[in-house]
Amino acid sequence: MIKSRQHIDLKGRTIIEKLKVIPPLRQNPVFQDEACFLYFNEGGSHVFAPNKKTPLMRRRVFY
């Protein structure tokens, strides 16, 4: 569940977004031809790609 969401939009598209979530949270965003930067201040997660699963730990950067 998303507890809070802050975002900055430019020309109708979100360019920066900050989420506070309560686990478990499952999302299926598609970032085709776009960049994505993830940072976890607490906890961690996994990112699933078609060919691999990447763990994301707290205070690590994934892009």
Side-chain angles (χ1 to χ4, degrees), residues 2 4-5 9-12 15-17 23 25-26 31 33 38 42-43 48 53 58:
I2 297 175
S4 68
R5 177 179 184 255
D9 293 337
L10 178 66
K11 297 183 181 180
I15 58 169
I16 298 175
E17 182 175 42
L25 175 71
R26 292 181 184 260
F31 298 108
D33 300 326
L38 299 172
E42 297 177 12
F48 295 90
K53 174 180 163 183
R58 139 185 136 132

Side-chain angles (χ1 to χ4, degrees), residues 7-50:
H7 58 96
I8 297 173
D9 293 337
L10 178 66
K11 297 183 181 180
R13 299 187 74 168
T14 300
I15 58 169
I16 298 175
E17 182 175 42
K18 178 182 178 181
L19 298 176
K20 288 187 180 183
V21 299
I22 298 171
L25 175 71
R26 292 181 184 260
Q27 289 188 313
N28 296 318
V30 176
F31 298 108
Q32 187 173 2
D33 300 326
E34 296 180 1
C36 178
F37 172 86
L38 299 172
Y39 180 82
F40 287 85
N41 195 37
E42 297 177 12
S45 185
H46 289 88
V47 172
F48 295 90

